[in-house]
Amino acid sequence: MAEPLSPLARRVRQAGIVGAGGGGFPAYVKASSKAEIAIVNGAECEPLLQKDQEILEHFTSDVAAGLKLLMRATGASKGVIAIKAKHKELVEKVEAEVKGEKGLSVRRLADVYPAGDEFCLVYEIAGRLIPPGGIPIQVGVVVNNVETLYNLSRAEKGPVIDTFLTVTGAVKKPCTLKLPIGTSFAEAVSLAGGAAVKDYAALDGGAMMGRVAMDFTQPLTKTSSGLIVLPRSHALIQRKGALRGADERIGKSACDQCSLCTELCPRYLLGYAIQPHKVMRSLLFSPQDRKTWNQWSLLCCECQLCALYSCPENLAPGKVCAAAKADLAKEDISWKSSFLNAGQAPKAHPIRPFRLVPVKQLIHRLGLADYQTEAPLVREDYAPESVRILLKQHAGVPAKPVVKAGQKVERGELIGDVPEDQLGVPVHASISGTVSVVGDYIEIRR
Ligand code: SF4
Ligand code: SF4
């Protein structure tokens, strides 16, 4: 039988807090673990996104309070707030906030991509390598995103009903917004002054790991972090939006096996058994052969550095690796069952410090240099006329609706829940109004 949750973990679950950094993993699980070091991941290495910086700037004490709560819950004696050294004033502000606090410190990170990848971050800060296919807690570390800790500090006051995101790129007023969950992409773009070009798309979640969004009626979720609006003709939109068949056809004929994708892969440089050039090679092989060679993708974190920076042919090894992992999962092949899993501990490559990729260089390579600008937090509250709140915006099982169409709800009220014995978190109304649709999402109208 599962252990009962601690009072704090229960509160975190009831507040519907998830990892706001993208994965949407329920935060109560981390709050229930035992750790030595708690890290606040403020690396924010996705080019142009600034919401973590803005939260740290405007809600410094909340983030520090969230970290202290997490340290108490996990028993961690050290709490480290990791921020890029280039944000000099912000670093100083956060240092002043934690000065004199036992066990708390700020760590300055280099401006490289992907500094925020948990495996890289834990290695940089704790000098520990997470076991292949594992998670930070296995080496005594718990990592949380800035916004997650902000939400944690407020769990007592109420549930997660707003989300922070940066709206930038080809918009008239790039900014960071705090919006009710379920607000549409279209409204977020319009609050950023609207698109500055006629025919546009967006990268939802960032230029590197985000996905292409063409449908702007989509709602924001607890894990939304940013929309980068770009002309549809921009190379990034074209490349990220290319279909699997096209990526594989071109990869098969154009990959010259130079192996640069592997040589610069951040996970390979940490000593993990990942070699994207071998996965590319497998495009030429029979399905049986592919099953073997594709296992060189199993430890890929899908950072897309190989595709969008390293490959001189502009091929898509990162996407090919992601597709290979999905194919292997269908065949029940995981790292645990892989022939590559020989039980060997990883060892960082001695060349690693000389192969870190500066974000500045990456931005130029991505064709985003013209869009580099400040995106300050807009402090006014925005009240949309309607919201669509997804019942599944977290890892685990979807929430089950606990409201009916026609029912009146208040902002903050429970509208979907997950049984205690299942992984997942509840969802709450982000505006007051009347429930108009109950399906995979709950729509509320004022
Ligand atoms: S970098 Fe590009 S061309 Fe070179 S091996 Fe990787 S996918 Fe092939
Ligand atoms: S996306 Fe490419 S660079 Fe990133 S971890 Fe996977 S193989 Fe390595």
Side-chain angles (χ1 to χ4, degrees):
M1 220 166 79
E3 295 255 319
L5 295 178
S6 68
L8 173 70
R10 181 172 296 277
R11 228 161 45 231
V12 172
R13 190 180 196 276
Q14 282 166 349
I17 303 175
V18 301
F25 197 77
Y28 70 88
V29 179
K30 286 185 188 175
S32 304
S33 56
K34 287 288 155 233
E36 294 159 44
I37 307 172
I39 299 176
V40 183
N41 188 352
E44 197 160 51
C45 50
E46 273 285 353
L48 312 189
L49 299 193
Q50 294 161 43
K51 69 122 177 160
D52 286 344
Q53 277 171 64
E54 290 297 313
I55 297 174
L56 272 169
E57 168 72 36
H58 294 274
F59 304 100
T60 323
S61 51
D62 297 86
V63 178
L67 175 58
K68 282 188 266 181
L69 269 178
L70 185 73
M71 287 168 70
R72 261 210 310 279
T74 59
S77 56
K78 278 191 199 159
V80 184
I81 303 176
I83 313 169
K84 290 206 168 154
K86 69 173 177 180
H87 306 306
K88 203 170 166 285
E89 282 171 21
L90 181 61
V91 169
E92 283 166 7
K93 184 170 185 188
V94 180
E95 274 174 344
E97 177 70 37
V98 301
K99 196 171 173 202
E101 298 269 10
K102 194 166 170 250
L104 291 195
S105 62
V106 175
R107 177 68 179 265
R108 292 169 159 81
L109 298 172
D111 190 19
V112 296
Y113 181 86
D117 169 57
E118 285 192 341
F119 282 63
C120 296
L121 193 67
V122 169
Y123 180 67
E124 288 296 337
I125 289 179
R128 302 175 188 178
L129 282 165
I130 301 169
I135 53 173
I137 201 66
Q138 289 175 269
V139 290
V141 182
V142 66
V143 182
N144 272 284
N145 169 271
V146 170
E147 188 176 348
T148 310
L149 288 173
Y150 164 87
N151 287 332
L152 210 110
S153 73
R154 293 170 168 242
E156 203 70 85
K157 294 182 197 142
V160 180
I161 44 181
D162 295 318
T163 188
F164 288 87
L165 79 159
T166 297
V167 186
T168 188
V171 288
K172 292 179 190 141
K173 281 189 244 153
C175 58
T176 296
L177 301 160
K178 178 168 158 253
L179 295 177
I181 290 164
T183 304
S184 69
F185 283 18
E187 282 168 285
V189 172
S190 140
L191 288 165
V197 289
K198 230 179 171 180
D199 201 13
Y200 59 91
L203 296 170
D204 171 22
M208 297 300 285
M209 295 185 77
R211 61 186 179 95
V212 175
M214 302 279 191
D215 172 10
F216 283 73
T217 64
Q218 292 179 70
L220 300 175
T221 68
K222 293 176 185 180
T223 60
S224 294
S225 56
L227 293 174
I228 301 179
V229 175
L230 292 172
R232 278 197 193 206
S233 56
H234 193 284
L236 255 184
I237 300 289
Q238 298 297 318
R239 291 187 63 195
K240 288 183 83 80
L243 297 177
R244 177 176 179 178
D247 283 334
E248 293 192 352
R249 245 188 346 269
I250 300 167
K252 199 190 272 189
S253 60
C255 175
D256 59 12
Q257 287 292 292
C258 68
S259 82
L260 271 175
C261 49
T262 295
E263 295 294 334
L264 287 172
C265 169
R267 291 283 175 101
Y268 169 79
L269 290 167
L270 280 176
Y272 296 100
I274 166 152
Q275 298 200 23
H277 75 284
K278 290 188 178 165
V279 185
M280 290 300 280
R281 192 185 300 171
S282 87
L283 292 174
L284 292 158
F285 298 164
S286 68
Q288 192 50 39
D289 241 0
R290 278 182 86 165
K291 218 191 290 181
T292 306
W293 286 77
N294 278 352
Q295 291 181 42
W296 288 101
S297 71
L298 283 167
L299 299 179
C300 167
C301 65
E302 299 176 34
C303 72
Q304 300 303 334
L305 191 72
C306 51
L308 300 175
Y309 181 85
S310 320
C311 179
E313 312 285 346
N314 283 342
L315 304 180
K319 280 165 79 185
V320 172
C321 281
K325 280 200 301 180
D327 288 351
L328 292 171
K330 279 187 213 143
E331 306 242 12
D332 265 339
I333 300 172
S334 64
W335 176 253
K336 224 171 159 190
S337 59
S338 170
F339 79 97
L340 292 168
N341 182 4
Q344 247 173 346
K347 193 164 170 258
H349 200 297
I351 201 76
R352 178 178 180 269
F354 308 98
R355 289 209 184 143
L356 300 174
V357 172
V359 171
K360 210 169 162 193
Q361 227 163 283
L362 178 63
I363 286 176
H364 280 277
R365 180 89 164 91
L366 295 172
L368 294 178
D370 290 347
Y371 298 108
Q372 281 188 90
T373 183
E374 302 272 298
L377 179 69
V378 175
R379 294 300 300 256
E380 295 108 68
D381 287 337
Y382 174 69
E385 275 309 304
S386 68
V387 288
R388 275 198 286 154
I389 299 167
L390 300 184
L391 288 164
K392 177 140 170 61
Q393 32 184 318
H394 51 257
V397 300
K400 283 209 178 84
V402 297
V403 289
K404 293 198 172 80
Q407 191 174 328
K408 289 214 179 313
V409 289
E410 291 297 320
R411 180 167 150 91
E413 193 175 323
L414 181 77
I415 55 170
D417 207 355
V418 174
E420 283 241 345
D421 58 345
Q422 295 185 5
L423 181 69
V425 289
V427 288
H428 302 82
S430 60
I431 59 169
S432 300
T434 306
V435 174
S436 47
V437 177
V438 177
D440 292 339
Y441 59 85
I442 291 176
E443 184 179 82
I444 304 167
R445 294 190 164 273
R446 276 186 193 282

